[in-house]
């Protein structure tokens, strides 16, 4: 069974997706301080840097983010202002697109996104688009006229992968809900003060359910009453078909975190060394610029010839790397140093397997190429902090905030 387990942990909330008994996603967030990823604010432009066509925008609470001025239509808080270049001191509506990581500032966007289970309403881009994982041309042609009836000139629609397996009326109902939220946000912007929070995103444990592949989760389990009620409310409104999967765990003799060995999973995910079943192992080293992963033969003592041995370990490593990227939330540029192979057929088989495995990641992950030095290049979209940064944030919180 595939399960989402959510429990209080130290000074935060720990959530884990377990697929076929193995953890595949771990998230840690401060209790009572939800992530600001996806939040929409009225910000004030502090500086404009013309040579990179960007602005730095203050969104309050001593938070300043980077905004590319070329990424879409700027929504001024006062809707009476004509469309013009942004100036210092302007109050504009922005959304947090990427969290701050280490020395890098928040990334903001003026392309406001309102995400549902089946579609995304995009204010700033007014096209109709489809997830790259939807390959059915006939289905796209069937739903497009219905979407065009619902679309207005000031927003676009991206149809998510889950929509293909849902009833069309269900998709359209969700789209109407997203339109109402968008209109309410823009209406509020016209009379709220600067630095106001116009829209709060869901906590990670709810977005994990929203963004999961339809019918991929068999159970949602928590031992926290507040989390249970929040999840129940969300499922009742937006995913009633999944509400029976929600369970409140009440065994006081065996804590939920112990039952599913969540702390052991967390310790493993923070360790730079990952052992493979064959006896080989990975060394995962995140740096400021990129993530480096080294594949080693380790204790492997198989009886096959050298070529078969290397291919076996590399293929096992490719499967595990695809899991570790999600588990640790590693992103950006990723370089993998697989064990060197001479045969082109083996290299092709490895690249094909790795591409297949990372394609199942909900976060866009691309296998770029194998270099002349036999290093495999990948990119994974940066959205949330890596797991190591999430844990550091929890540990650095003062006692007053716990």
């Amino acid at each position: 069974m595939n399960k989402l387990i959510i429990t209080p942990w130290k000074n935060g909330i720990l959530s884990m997706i377990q697929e076929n008994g193995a953890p595949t996603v771990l998230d840690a967030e401060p209790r009572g301080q939800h992530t600001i990823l996806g939040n929409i604010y009225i910000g004030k432009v502090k500086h404009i840097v013309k040579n990179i066509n960007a602005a730095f925008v203050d969104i309050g609470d001593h938070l300043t983010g980077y905004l590319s001025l070329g990424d879409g239509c700027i929504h001024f808080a006062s809707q009476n202002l004509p469309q013009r270049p942004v100036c210092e001191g302007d109050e504009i509506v922005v959304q947090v697109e990427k969290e701050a990581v280490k020395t890098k500032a928040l990334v903001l966007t003026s392309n406001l996104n309102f995400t549902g289970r089946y579609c995304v309403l995009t204010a700033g881009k007014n096209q109709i688009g489809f997830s790259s994982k939807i390959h059915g041309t006939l289905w796209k042609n069937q739903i497009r006229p219905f979407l065009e009836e619902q679309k207005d000139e000031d927003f676009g629609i991206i149809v998510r992968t889950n929509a293909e397996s849902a009833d069309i009326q269900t998709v359209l109902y969700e789209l109407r809900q997203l339109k109402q939220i968008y209109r309410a946000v823009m209406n509020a912007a016209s009379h709220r003060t600067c630095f106001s929070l116009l829209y709060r995103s869901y906590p990670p444990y709810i977005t994990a359910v929203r963004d999961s592949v339809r019918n991929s989760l068999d159970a949602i389990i928590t031992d926290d009453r507040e989390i249970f009620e929040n999840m129940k409310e969300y499922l009742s409104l937006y995913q009633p078909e999944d509400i029976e999967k929600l369970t409140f765990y009440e065994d006081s003799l065996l804590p939920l975190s112990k039952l599913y060995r969540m702390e052991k999973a967390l310790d493993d995910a923070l360790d730079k060394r990952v052992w493979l079943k064959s006896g080989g192992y990975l060394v995962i080293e995140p740096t400021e610029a990129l993530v480096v992963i080294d594949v080693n033969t380790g204790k492997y003592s198989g009886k096959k010839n050298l070529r078969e041995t290397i291919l076996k370990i590399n293929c096992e490593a490719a499967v595990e790397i695809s899991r570790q990227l999600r588990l640790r939330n590693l992103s950006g540029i990723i370089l993998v140093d697989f064990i060197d192979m001479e045969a082109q057929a083996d290299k092709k088989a490895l690249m094909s397997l790795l591409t297949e495995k990372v394609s199942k990641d909900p976060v866009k992950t691309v296998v770029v190429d194998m270099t002349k030095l036999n290093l495999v290049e990948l990119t994974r979209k940066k959205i949330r902090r890596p797991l190591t940064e999430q844990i550091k944030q929890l540990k650095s919180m003062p006692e007053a905030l716990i």
Side-chain angles (χ1 to χ4, degrees):
M1 293 179 67
N2 296 341
K3 303 174 182 179
L4 170 62
I5 303 105
I6 316 147
T7 188
W9 179 77
K10 294 187 176 179
N11 52 341
I13 297 171
L14 184 64
S15 56
M16 178 177 77
I17 293 180
Q18 187 185 73
E19 296 181 359
N20 300 318
T24 55
V25 177
L26 279 168
D27 267 307
E29 60 173 308
R31 184 92 194 200
Q33 291 187 335
H34 297 317
T35 175
I36 64 170
L37 181 67
N39 285 1
I40 298 176
Y41 298 87
I42 299 178
K44 178 173 284 189
V45 179
K46 292 181 64 177
H47 304 291
I48 294 177
V49 188
K50 292 184 179 179
N51 61 338
I52 59 173
N53 194 29
F56 287 92
V57 181
D58 184 357
I59 60 173
D61 291 332
H62 309 290
L63 294 173
T64 300
Y66 168 90
L67 173 69
S68 171
L69 297 177
D71 72 349
C73 173
I74 298 296
H75 301 276
F76 291 98
S78 174
Q79 297 178 18
N80 295 324
L81 290 176
Q83 286 297 317
R84 57 167 175 76
V86 175
C87 302
E88 290 184 6
D90 280 345
E91 295 182 6
I92 60 176
V93 181
V94 291
Q95 186 170 33
V96 179
E97 184 176 38
K98 297 177 185 176
E99 292 181 320
V101 179
K102 295 182 179 177
T103 60
K104 297 181 180 178
L106 291 167
V107 176
L108 306 174
T109 180
S110 55
N111 291 323
L112 310 180
N113 289 335
F114 298 86
T115 304
R117 184 159 174 78
Y118 304 113
C119 50
V120 181
L121 185 149
T122 60
K125 296 181 180 179
N126 61 2
Q127 304 95 337
I128 294 177
F130 293 85
S131 163
S132 60
K133 296 181 181 180
I134 298 178
H135 303 295
T137 304
L138 178 61
W139 184 84
K140 293 179 185 178
N141 292 337
Q142 287 176 338
I143 197 172
R144 186 180 289 274
F146 295 98
L147 299 174
E148 289 174 345
E149 288 180 4
Q150 296 292 328
K151 197 184 87 62
D152 296 337
E153 289 298 320
D154 59 339
F155 67 81
I157 302 166
I158 299 174
V159 181
R160 305 190 72 190
T161 308
N162 278 324
E164 191 174 18
S165 60
D167 179 75
I168 289 179
Q169 293 306 317
T170 301
V171 178
L172 297 178
Y173 176 73
E174 180 186 83
L175 179 57
R176 288 191 289 270
Q177 289 180 308
L178 296 177
K179 283 173 64 175
Q180 289 178 356
I181 296 171
Y182 165 53
R183 298 296 179 206
V185 166
M186 298 311 297
N187 180 60
S190 63
H191 61 264
R192 298 281 291 277
T193 59
C194 191
F195 309 133
S196 292
L197 173 63
L198 301 176
Y199 173 81
R200 184 184 295 280
S201 61
Y202 289 112
Y205 61 83
I206 287 184
T207 59
V209 175
R210 183 196 67 193
D211 297 339
S212 63
V213 176
R214 198 163 187 243
N215 297 323
S216 65
L217 285 177
D218 301 302
I220 305 165
I221 308 166
T222 182
D223 56 353
D224 183 272
R225 181 58 66 179
E226 181 184 354
I227 293 172
F228 177 82
E229 294 299 334
N230 288 342
M231 184 67 76
K232 184 178 179 181
E233 180 182 5
Y234 170 79
L235 292 174
S236 298
L237 288 173
Y238 300 107
Q239 292 179 224
E241 69 277 11
D242 291 327
I243 199 165
E244 292 184 357
K245 298 175 182 178
L246 179 62
T247 302
F248 185 70
Y249 181 83
E250 298 184 89
D251 189 344
S252 59
L253 298 178
L254 181 61
L256 189 62
S257 60
K258 298 295 183 183
L259 177 63
Y260 288 99
R261 304 180 70 197
M262 296 178 75
E263 292 202 11
K264 172 67 165 59
L266 188 60
D267 289 342
D268 289 345
L270 296 175
D271 193 345
K272 73 176 186 178
R273 181 170 292 197
V274 179
W275 287 99
L276 305 174
K277 291 181 180 179
S278 64
Y281 64 92
L282 312 176
V283 177
I284 302 175
E285 294 275 12
T287 71
E288 187 76 18
L290 47 79
V291 176
V292 180
I293 302 177
D294 188 33
V295 181
N296 296 278
T297 54
K299 302 174 182 177
Y300 183 79
S301 57
K303 297 180 180 179
K304 296 182 179 180
N305 63 43
L306 182 60
R307 176 182 170 182
E308 290 178 336
T309 296
I310 292 173
L311 180 59
K312 174 182 172 61
I313 295 174
N314 279 343
C315 286
E316 187 180 358
V319 174
E320 184 60 29
I321 286 167
S322 69
R323 186 177 77 93
Q324 290 293 327
L325 296 183
R326 289 184 66 192
L327 184 68
R328 300 170 185 238
N329 197 29
L330 301 173
S331 57
I333 300 171
I334 300 158
L335 285 182
V336 184
D337 185 9
F338 285 102
I339 304 168
D340 286 348
M341 297 181 295
E342 298 295 332
Q344 289 299 318
D346 292 351
K347 293 179 181 180
K348 186 176 179 180
L350 175 63
M351 294 293 282
S352 177
L353 176 64
L354 183 60
T355 301
E356 176 197 344
K357 293 301 179 181
V358 301
S359 69
K360 298 175 183 178
D361 192 333
V363 176
K364 185 176 181 180
T365 307
V366 177
V367 178
V368 180
D369 202 358
M370 181 179 286
T371 71
K372 292 181 179 180
L373 296 175
N374 291 321
L375 299 174
V376 175
E377 300 173 305
L378 299 92
T379 61
R380 189 170 186 264
K381 187 175 180 180
K382 289 185 178 180
I383 300 178
R384 296 198 68 221
R385 290 188 181 101
L387 182 63
T388 52
E389 293 295 315
Q390 295 175 33
I391 299 302
K392 285 180 183 177
Q393 181 191 17
L394 287 183
K395 291 182 176 179
S396 67
M397 287 175 61
E399 292 295 328
L401 296 179
I402 298 176

